[in-house]
């Protein structure tokens, strides 16, 4: 246990804590009961020491009534350790916690939007909604993985959404970290229990084999969710035993297109990739999955995309024999996995940059990609459009300017693709139409969880010093690393 055993009684000796509106726990007043779960109850609370603080709050209190599942007690301890370390829009803001020796609780921000759970009852959902959910959740997961956390209990009831001022839904928020693992904290669940931890339909194959430090486990759970939201069926049913969980080590799910004929092949490709038994066959990071969901036309299709039936009894038997005694390939931790598989943007002015600068950019990208991992390279060019008035969409010869820039991007990247073997969706091309090139690049980088932008800068001039160059604006506004390559003297 995280706390000192000598200082607290055994869990079964705790009296049941009966809360009611109007009670005060430390500096918080109990206002309203919101939810009763199997392991905890949730109350709306107000803060007495900061009555003017506008943040709405909830208090999560564990069920400690004697005879409770010990894992729920340990899980609450885990959540108390993890939540203070998490920041950002994709988690509830942590406010306070109460120790088990007095009154165990966690006070956190109340998320004003709904959970994803009701949409599960409405499945199958429109394809566009399934894709939108996938993008939002994958983006949230990548943020958690970069903070050293593997959630390990990704499911609709643990996903909520923030609301924008106009009432529309915004960022996905992950809640309930009782089964999670943090790279920098002791894994109490792994130390104290010998059964797979998670929710039956969503547990990944490696979790069944007691591996708890692979962030790609969360991608498996997201794949299960997307499959269910798309088809109305669970890919592996609802197992309630370890033997039932182990079936996913060798049994294939029915292809989504067999249940939902209007499922696009690219979406089946991504969902079945998430559901691969071997974690190394899934996307290397949640950010790369989110990028594919946002750019379906660039998804590299394999035989997964064309399946309309499972591969049959004999293939299942072969996989079953292969699974006996098989050990999953391990990973060193969530943050390292995300860092080893970054998204890199090469931002090019393919129409105006001198050839020498384009060559230098290619050499810089080549050196970066030689570092290994499964880096995703996104080649980006901005097609300038008018803020007011009509845009010229064709050149003097009547050719599409958009297609012309796309072809130029591919021509620039061809030596890199050939030399570094950038296949299987690791190389994508994006022509952004926008009046402001710097703004478009920064927005693309933020929306797609980009780790590194590599771009060029031409020689200095009085006009550039006065207006500010595109590269200087990107450096100033980006939240990721930006490398600027200077062109030779002109």
């Amino acid at each position: 246990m995280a706390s000192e055993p000598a200082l607290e009684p055994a869990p079964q000796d705790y009296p049941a804590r009966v809360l009611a509106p109007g009670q005060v726990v430390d500096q918080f007043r109990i206002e309203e009961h919101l939810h009763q779960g199997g392991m905890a109850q949730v109350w709306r609370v107000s803060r007495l020491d900061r009555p003017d603080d506008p943040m709405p709050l909830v208090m999560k209190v564990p069920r400690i009534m004697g005879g409770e599942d010990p894992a729920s007690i340990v899980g609450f301890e885990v959540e108390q350790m993890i939540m203070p370390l998490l920041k950002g829009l994709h988690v509830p803001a942590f406010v306070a916690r109460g120790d088990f020796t007095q009154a165990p609780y966690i006070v956190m921000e109340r998320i004003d939007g709904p959970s994803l759970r009701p949409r599960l009852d409405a499945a199958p959902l429109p394809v566009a909604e399934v894709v939108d959910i996938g993008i939002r959740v994958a983006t949230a997961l990548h943020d958690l993985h970069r903070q050293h956390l593997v959630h390990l209990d990704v499911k609709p009831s643990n996903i909520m959404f923030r609301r924008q001022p106009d009432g529309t839904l915004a960022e996905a928020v992950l809640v309930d970290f009782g089964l999670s693992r943090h790279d920098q904290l002791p894994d109490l669940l792994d130390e104290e229990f010998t059964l797979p931890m998670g929710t039956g339909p969503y547990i990944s194959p490696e979790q069944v084999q007691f591996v708890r430090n692979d962030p790609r486990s969360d991608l498996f759970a997201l794949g299960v969710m997307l499959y269910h939201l798309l088809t109305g069926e669970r890919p592996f049913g609802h197992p309630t035993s370890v033997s039932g969980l182990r079936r996913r080590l060798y049994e294939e799910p029915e292809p989504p297109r067999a249940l939902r004929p209007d499922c696009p092949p690219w979406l089946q490709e991504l969902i079945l990739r998430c559901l691969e038994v071997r974690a190394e066959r899934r996307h290397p990071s949640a950010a790369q999955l989110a990028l594919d969901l946002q750019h379906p036309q660039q998804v590299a299709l394999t035989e997964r995309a064309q399946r309309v039936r499972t591969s049959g009894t004999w293939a299942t038997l072969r996989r079953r024999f292969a699974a006996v005694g098989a050990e999953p390939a391990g990973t060193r931790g969530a943050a390292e996995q995300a860092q080893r598989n970054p998204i890199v943007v090469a931002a090019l002015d393919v129409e105006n940059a001198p050839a020498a600068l384009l060559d230098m950019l290619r050499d810089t990208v080549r050196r970066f990609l030689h570092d290994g991992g499964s880096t995703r390279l996104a080649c980006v060019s901005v097609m300038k459009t008018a803020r007011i008035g009509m845009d010229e969409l064709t050149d003097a010869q009547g050719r599409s300017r958009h297609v012309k820039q796309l072809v130029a991007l591919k021509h620039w990247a061809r030596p890199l693709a050939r030399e570094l073997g950038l296949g299987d969706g690791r190389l994508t091309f994006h022509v952004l139409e926008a009046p402001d090139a710097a703004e478009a690049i920064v927005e693309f980088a933020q929306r797609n969880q980009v780790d590194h932008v590599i771009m060029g800068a031409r020689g200095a001039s009085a006009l550039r010093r006065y207006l500010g160059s595109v590269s200087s604006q990107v450096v100033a506004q980006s939240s990721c690393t930006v490398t600027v390559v200077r062109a030779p003297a002109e």
Side-chain angles (χ1 to χ4, degrees):
M1 303 285 283
S3 49
E4 187 66 33
L7 298 181
E8 59 176 295
Q12 63 268 23
D13 294 334
Y14 281 113
R17 185 170 184 93
V18 180
L19 297 178
Q23 279 187 290
V24 174
V25 179
D26 293 339
Q27 69 268 37
F28 303 100
R29 179 191 289 116
I30 306 297
E31 303 289 355
E32 177 188 5
H33 187 258
L34 299 177
H35 175 71
Q36 175 69 62
M39 296 185 179
Q41 52 183 321
V42 178
W43 295 82
R44 181 172 65 86
V45 298
S46 58
R47 190 165 187 172
L48 299 178
D49 61 336
R50 297 184 187 177
D52 297 328
D53 189 338
M55 181 188 293
L57 301 177
V58 294
M59 176 182 286
K60 184 175 182 179
V61 181
R63 289 186 57 180
I64 307 175
M65 301 174 63
E68 298 294 337
D69 179 3
S72 67
I73 307 298
V74 177
F76 197 82
E77 277 193 287
V78 169
E79 190 164 22
Q80 285 188 314
M81 290 194 301
I82 285 175
M83 283 210 66
L85 302 181
L86 302 179
K87 310 295 180 186
L89 290 173
H90 301 293
V91 294
F94 170 79
V95 175
R97 60 187 175 186
D99 190 79
F100 270 84
T101 59
Q102 301 294 328
Y105 63 80
I106 302 172
V107 174
M108 69 190 85
E109 172 193 11
R110 180 181 182 181
I111 306 302
D112 55 0
S115 85
L116 186 57
R117 179 63 184 84
R119 301 307 294 150
L120 204 63
D121 295 331
L125 303 181
V127 169
E129 183 178 357
V130 174
V131 173
D132 181 65
I133 290 169
I135 293 168
R136 294 172 193 261
V137 177
T139 300
L141 286 173
H142 186 64
D143 184 40
L144 293 184
H145 295 164
R146 293 174 68 178
Q147 296 186 61
H148 302 276
L149 185 93
V150 188
H151 191 280
L152 297 175
D153 198 21
V154 176
K155 58 184 179 181
S157 59
N158 286 343
I159 297 168
M160 303 187 72
F161 295 94
R162 297 185 184 276
R163 286 193 191 277
Q164 296 181 357
D166 63 0
T168 57
L169 301 185
E171 297 86 3
V173 178
L174 275 293
V175 299
D176 197 348
F177 303 99
L179 300 183
S180 300
R181 184 188 188 279
H182 194 284
D183 293 342
Q184 299 172 344
L185 293 173
D187 188 354
L188 303 186
L189 290 167
D190 183 61
E191 293 172 0
E192 299 187 30
F193 302 99
T194 58
L195 289 174
M197 293 290 177
T199 303
Y202 305 96
I203 293 178
S204 69
E206 58 272 16
Q207 284 174 266
V208 178
Q209 297 173 294
F210 308 106
V211 173
R212 288 176 40 82
N213 67 340
D214 196 326
R216 294 167 297 188
S217 297
D218 291 340
L219 301 190
F220 184 91
L222 177 53
V224 172
M225 269 192 347
L226 296 181
Y227 185 107
H228 194 170
L229 293 169
L230 179 70
T231 68
E233 303 288 340
R234 291 191 174 99
F236 304 101
H238 197 320
T240 57
S241 64
V242 174
S243 61
L245 291 173
R246 289 191 62 85
R247 295 172 70 91
R248 67 196 57 193
L249 296 175
Y250 53 85
E251 286 193 350
E252 290 180 329
E254 193 81 8
R257 295 177 65 199
L259 303 172
R260 179 81 180 265
D262 67 332
C263 172
W266 68 266
L267 183 55
Q268 173 164 299
E269 172 75 32
L270 297 184
I271 290 176
L272 291 184
R273 185 174 178 185
C274 287
L275 298 179
E276 285 283 356
V277 173
R278 294 169 57 186
E280 60 269 24
R281 298 194 63 187
R282 302 173 207 148
H283 283 80
S285 72
Q288 294 197 23
L289 172 58
L291 186 62
D292 274 346
L293 287 165
Q294 292 181 80
H295 303 282
Q297 71 280 6
Q298 305 217 37
V299 174
L301 301 183
T302 70
E303 58 82 26
R304 285 184 291 241
Q306 307 306 324
R307 293 179 196 167
V308 292
R309 62 179 64 88
T310 55
S311 53
T313 303
W314 287 111
T316 300
L317 286 174
R318 286 196 298 271
R319 288 193 298 270
R320 184 169 185 174
F321 284 123
V324 175
E327 294 292 335
T331 184
R332 295 184 181 180
E336 182 171 339
Q337 179 73 11
Q339 291 165 2
R340 283 182 53 81
N341 300 283
I343 296 176
V344 176
V345 160
L348 315 171
D349 183 359
V350 289
E351 289 188 318
N352 303 305
L357 177 57
L358 294 176
D359 289 342
M360 290 181 64
L361 277 167
R362 190 185 297 110
D363 289 341
T364 302
V365 172
R366 180 184 291 112
R367 288 196 298 272
F368 189 90
L369 295 185
H370 268 308
D371 289 346
S374 298
T375 303
R376 172 76 165 269
L377 176 63
C379 300
V380 173
S381 182
V382 180
M383 180 179 131
K384 295 290 289 292
T385 57
R387 291 188 185 276
I388 302 175
M390 299 293 291
D391 292 314
E392 293 293 336
L393 302 180
T394 58
D395 63 11
Q397 290 75 41
R399 297 173 299 183
S400 165
R401 290 178 56 211
H402 189 113
V403 172
K404 186 178 178 181
Q405 286 193 225
L406 182 62
V407 171
L409 276 178
K410 293 189 175 185
H411 176 75
W412 176 86
R414 188 175 298 128
L416 291 172
R418 184 171 54 248
E419 177 184 341
L420 302 176
L422 297 178
D424 300 324
R426 288 184 58 202
L427 176 63
T428 56
F429 303 92
H430 311 268
V431 176
L432 312 178
E433 298 187 14
D436 187 304
E439 185 178 299
I441 293 168
V442 170
E443 181 182 344
F444 181 90
Q446 291 175 341
R447 186 174 64 249
N448 293 291
Q449 305 286 301
V450 168
D451 299 275
H452 197 145
V453 174
I454 302 173
M455 63 186 303
R458 299 182 67 185
S461 69
L463 182 61
R464 285 195 183 90
R465 286 194 296 272
Y466 179 73
L467 296 178
S469 67
V470 171
S471 58
S472 66
Q473 292 178 59
V474 172
V475 169
Q477 298 172 22
S478 291
S479 57
C480 65
T481 301
V482 180
T483 296
V484 178
V485 179
R486 174 68 66 184
E490 300 176 8

